[in-house]
Amino acid sequence: MKKSEFERLKKSIVEVGDAIRGKREASRVFSYEVPARGKKPVKTFAICLNTDDPELLVPRKFYEITIADNDLVRVIDEGGESAI
């Protein structure tokens, strides 16, 4: 992992802690730079803050994400299935 990616991850962890403690509102919106076509998709991580179905996504757990062919974010849930 590149240092810049690590710093972004570290910043997001601090933001999650603040959201859990009620110091800030949790957001369901995030941005991700889509890699240029023809290159291997870049994998990164996201943190689940809240979920409607805790059997599929666990709050405060890291999930690896990739960009699907149709430019949607793909997350593998606890059931091992792809959630887009």
Side-chain angles (χ1 to χ4, degrees):
M1 178 179 284
K2 294 180 184 177
K3 185 175 181 175
S4 62
E5 292 172 350
F6 176 77
E7 291 300 324
R8 272 185 30 197
L9 179 61
K10 189 168 78 171
K11 180 181 174 188
S12 68
I13 292 170
V14 170
E15 291 173 1
V16 168
D18 288 346
I20 291 170
R21 288 187 292 280
K23 292 182 178 181
R24 68 180 303 151
E25 281 292 315
S27 172
R28 291 182 179 256
V29 178
F30 64 94
S31 62
Y32 180 79
E33 187 175 321
V34 177
R37 292 289 179 211
K39 294 183 179 179
K40 184 177 178 182
V42 177
K43 293 185 178 183
T44 189
F45 295 90
I47 301 170
C48 174
L49 294 181
N50 194 2
T51 181
D52 297 334
D53 190 348
E55 291 182 10
L56 296 180
L57 295 174
V58 178
R60 296 185 293 272
K61 182 174 179 179
F62 286 91
Y63 289 92
E64 186 173 17
I65 63 172
T66 57
I67 300 297
D69 295 335
N70 53 4
D71 292 337
L72 295 175
V73 176
R74 179 175 296 193
V75 178
I76 304 299
D77 63 20
E78 293 298 310
E81 296 183 12
S82 176
I84 296 179

